[in-house]
């Protein structure tokens, strides 16, 4: 087998750390990059290195250019009394894309997972509780994904809040476009539980 | 829609330039990288930027750590009288993987393509001819992919060489594991042309 230079091996190793990129894909990427100009390589390299400078909104924890993200900086939303708790930035963006929530968000940074050593201190729980009190939030929507850990996180979180605050969790059931035939028993069970008078 | 920071947009834009990476995939990669440490980001960024330092073997044009690649530096192969011409480094590695060629290679850097402005001067044609003469190569195997441009490149190249040198092109036909049912008419035609007494 031919010995490949270190620079190629390093680039392949680095790219395999990306999600969904195996050794073959990484190799194909690097092969294509061997035809790039030094300036083009620098642009890609720097843009990835520069992700270290990513700032987080001091309120919700979302990515931000300034101290606050564009949602928390939006006057029309900043004083909303409704707060939506999400696990991460991707979940926040998914909800934002639906265009049907006009309150503020709070990114937890994950869910409680004792097996992986994620306790309340690893999540942005205290910031969340303080913010709810300070901002006089009246309604908290838990947009936490359904899983054992997610359920436990929601239960734990509810115990932190005064009873006057309304805490709700997003609805579970059959997704639009979904087919009962292919859905798992747990989703069907939830869909039956969450039935509504028609 | 939420405004994402410039650093994220830049990283997504950069990654979409990789083969097989669309905007969604790039975004997923960047989202995952937002959880990386600055040192990890630097390793990936630098490893890509460093591809600019990639050296090419002064003989065959393959990637190399030193002046010569590991094949041209191999005494047992360097004086071989058989030379295999390939389009690029990936093709070279594919042949090398088969383990059945023990001569030296020469990377052309592509095939003639007048529409894209690739003429003989853009390819490593002159180096190849000089090398064949200097190294007293007796047999040239053209491992150029079958296409209109590949065929033209092979025909053109043959005119450059003295007639004493044996020039051969790799065989075309049904690939091992292939099924006649799913092969294109051109491959079938080639397979019939290239039939051998059994």
């Amino acid at each position: 087998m031919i010995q490949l230079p270190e620079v190629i091996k390093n680039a392949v190793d680095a790219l395999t750390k990306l999600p969904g990129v195996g050794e073959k894909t990484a190799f194909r990427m690097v092969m294509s990059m061997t035809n790039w100009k030094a300036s083009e390589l620098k642009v890609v390299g720097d843009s990835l290195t520069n992700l270290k400078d990513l700032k987080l909104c001091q309120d919700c924890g979302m990515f931000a250019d300034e101290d606050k993200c564009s949602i928390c900086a939006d006057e029309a939303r900043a004083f909303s009394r409704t707060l939506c708790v999400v696990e991460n930035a991707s979940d926040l963006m998914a909800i934002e894309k639906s265009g049907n929530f006009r309150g503020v968000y709070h990114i937890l940074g994950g869910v409680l997972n004792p097996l992986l050593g994620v306790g309340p201190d690893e999540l942005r729980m205290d910031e969340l509780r303080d913010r709810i009190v300070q901002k006089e939030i009246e309604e908290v929507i838990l947009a936490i994904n359904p899983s054992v850990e997610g359920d436990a996180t929601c239960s734990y979180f509810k115990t932190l809040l005064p009873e006057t605050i309304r805490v709700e969790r997003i609805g579970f059931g059959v997704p639009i476009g979904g087919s009962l035939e292919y859905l798992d028993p747990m989703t069907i069970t939830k869909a039956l539980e969450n039935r509504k008078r028609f």
Side-chain angles (χ1 to χ4, degrees), chain A:
Chain A
M1 228 5 234
I2 184 162
Q3 274 291 318
L4 286 173
E6 282 298 313
V7 278
I8 291 199
K9 284 188 212 155
N10 292 342
V12 170
D13 286 351
L15 288 176
T16 49
K17 288 185 191 123
L18 296 175
V21 180
E23 202 166 331
K24 276 204 163 175
T25 311
F27 191 76
R28 194 159 68 92
M29 290 172 171
V30 173
M31 278 302 109
S32 139
M33 278 191 278
T34 57
N35 299 318
W36 292 14
K37 290 185 209 129
S39 57
E40 294 173 319
L41 290 168
K42 194 172 147 56
V43 167
V44 175
D46 287 355
S47 72
L48 299 187
T49 310
N50 287 343
L51 283 173
K52 73 178 192 310
D53 299 327
L54 195 60
K55 279 195 280 191
L56 299 181
C57 172
Q58 59 188 20
D59 285 355
C60 70
M62 181 59 184
F63 310 129
D65 266 322
E66 311 293 323
D67 287 343
K68 291 196 179 196
C69 72
S70 60
I71 294 171
C72 292
D74 179 350
E75 289 281 320
R77 300 180 70 165
F79 299 104
S80 165
R81 296 282 159 91
T82 307
L83 183 144
C84 178
V85 181
V86 291
E87 288 176 38
N88 54 44
S90 306
D91 289 356
L92 185 157
M93 283 184 281
I95 296 175
E96 197 60 6
K97 221 179 228 168
S98 80
N100 277 311
F101 178 69
R102 299 294 301 162
V104 288
Y105 293 94
H106 192 93
I107 294 180
L108 265 192
V111 285
L112 296 174
N113 193 333
L115 287 178
L116 297 177
V118 182
D121 295 342
E122 274 72 40
L123 303 178
R124 301 177 66 249
M125 283 272 189
D126 289 338
E127 289 96 321
L128 175 52
R129 196 194 41 216
D130 294 349
R131 205 173 147 209
I132 286 170
V133 174
Q134 276 164 24
K135 292 227 171 214
E136 296 173 19
I137 297 293
E138 287 162 0
E139 186 183 21
V140 174
I141 301 171
L142 298 170
I144 302 291
N145 289 310
S147 68
V148 176
E149 292 81 11
D151 297 351
T153 310
C154 291
S155 304
Y156 174 81
F157 177 66
K158 199 168 184 304
T159 63
L160 297 183
L161 295 183
E163 291 213 344
T164 51
I165 295 174
R166 188 163 143 185
V167 180
E168 285 166 335
R169 195 162 178 202
I170 46 165
F172 302 124
V174 180
I176 307 308
S179 165
L180 288 172
E181 186 180 1
Y182 300 113
L183 284 169
D184 59 297
M186 200 51 146
T187 303
I188 306 274
T189 309
K190 284 284 175 190
L192 286 171
E193 271 176 34
N194 298 341
R195 67 186 183 273
K196 259 180 146 179
R197 173 157 263 172
F198 186 67

